[in-house]
């Protein structure tokens, strides 16, 4: 896992200077795009608030960019989306209710009583998966978690990678910058 490598670099007698010369290991943020957003969520759950098992590395927050959450029951945005749209999770597991895909599925651990670091969830308003991302953010917020949710009207899944120089992509960078600034000294 990449965070174990990061911890090893922080503790090494002879670390890779290209990283240690510029990194602040007490202000780490984990981000993931699409299925990487699912991985970021899973790490948030595994590591818990403050990521104490990674000391001296401290994760201060997570950015889930268009997470590829799924489930056996289709959401409105999935059902109303293009019929030829491909929502493929089958290569990962035998069910879309697997915890890596559906954080609220029948075999997922409850997130209600978990202590989590701050999260920022970003989705395009035309993304087929927007309802799942919005539901994720809303549930966590209702349970008292520190979470931000931003929906970019008219934008599709991965709009910031498809057109990284667009105005929405530039606005997203400012939102992420603000999230990192606001949570860089977070104690959880």
């Amino acid at each position: 896992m990449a965070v174990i490598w990061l911890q090893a670099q922080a503790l090494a007698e002879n670390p890779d200077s290209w990283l240690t010369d510029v990194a602040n290991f007490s202000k780490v943020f984990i981000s993931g795009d699409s299925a990487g957003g699912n991985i970021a969520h899973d790490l948030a759950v595994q590591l818990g608030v403050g990521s104490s098992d990674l000391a001296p590395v401290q994760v201060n927050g997570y950015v889930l960019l268009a997470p590829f959450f799924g489930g056996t029951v289709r959401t409105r945005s999935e059902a109303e989306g293009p019929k030829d749209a491909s929502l493929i999770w089958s290569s990962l597991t035998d069910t879309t209710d697997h915890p890596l895909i559906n954080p609220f599925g029948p075999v997922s651990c409850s997130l209600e009583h978990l202590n989590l670091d701050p999260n920022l969830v970003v989705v395009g308003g035309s993304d087929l998966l927007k309802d799942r991302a919005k539901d994720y953010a809303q549930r966590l917020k209702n349970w008292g978690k520190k979470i931000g949710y931003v929906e970019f009207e008219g934008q599709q899944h991965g709009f910031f990678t498809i057109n990284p120089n667009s105005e929405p992509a530039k606005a997203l960078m400012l939102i992420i910058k603000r999230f990192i600034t606001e949570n860089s000294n977070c104690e959880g």
Side-chain angles (χ1 to χ4, degrees):
M1 171 176 351
V3 290
I4 300 299
W5 174 84
L6 189 62
Q7 180 186 39
Q9 290 298 307
L11 295 171
E13 285 186 36
N14 296 309
D16 288 336
S17 62
W18 66 267
L19 175 65
T20 57
D21 288 352
V22 296
N24 182 338
F25 294 106
S26 68
K27 295 182 180 183
V28 173
F29 287 80
I30 295 176
S31 177
D33 171 19
S34 195
N38 297 43
I39 294 169
H41 156 77
D42 193 57
L43 283 171
V45 171
Q46 285 183 43
L47 296 175
V49 72
S51 57
S52 59
D53 290 345
L54 291 177
V57 172
Q58 182 178 357
V59 178
N60 287 196
Y62 297 83
V63 179
L64 284 64
L65 300 166
F68 206 67
F69 294 141
T72 54
V73 177
R74 288 197 151 220
T75 66
R76 182 176 175 184
S77 61
E78 292 167 351
E80 292 178 356
K83 301 303 175 212
D84 60 346
S86 177
L87 298 174
I88 300 173
W89 294 274
S90 60
S91 62
L92 296 173
T93 69
D94 58 347
T95 176
T96 54
D97 277 333
H98 187 282
L100 291 173
I101 299 167
N102 185 352
F104 304 116
V107 294
S108 299
C109 71
S110 173
L111 304 178
E112 184 174 6
H113 301 292
L114 286 179
N115 290 325
L116 299 172
D117 285 310
N119 274 257
L120 173 63
V121 179
V122 177
V123 68
S126 296
D127 189 336
L128 289 176
L129 302 172
K130 73 177 180 180
D131 291 347
R132 292 194 188 275
K134 187 174 187 174
D135 178 59
Y136 174 85
Q138 190 60 55
R139 286 192 198 196
L140 293 183
K141 184 177 181 178
N142 290 346
W143 291 329
K145 314 299 184 215
K146 187 172 182 182
I147 187 154
Y149 174 79
V150 181
E151 185 174 313
F152 283 84
E153 186 177 337
Q155 298 301 309
Q156 64 182 334
H157 189 84
F159 68 91
F160 40 85
T161 9
I162 295 167
N163 192 355
N165 295 315
S166 67
E167 289 307 313
K170 291 176 184 177
L172 172 59
M173 292 303 107
L174 294 175
I175 290 167
I176 293 171
K177 179 182 177 183
R178 184 174 62 239
F179 174 79
I180 289 171
T181 301
E182 290 172 356
N183 293 290
S184 286
N185 295 314
C186 187
E187 294 296 322

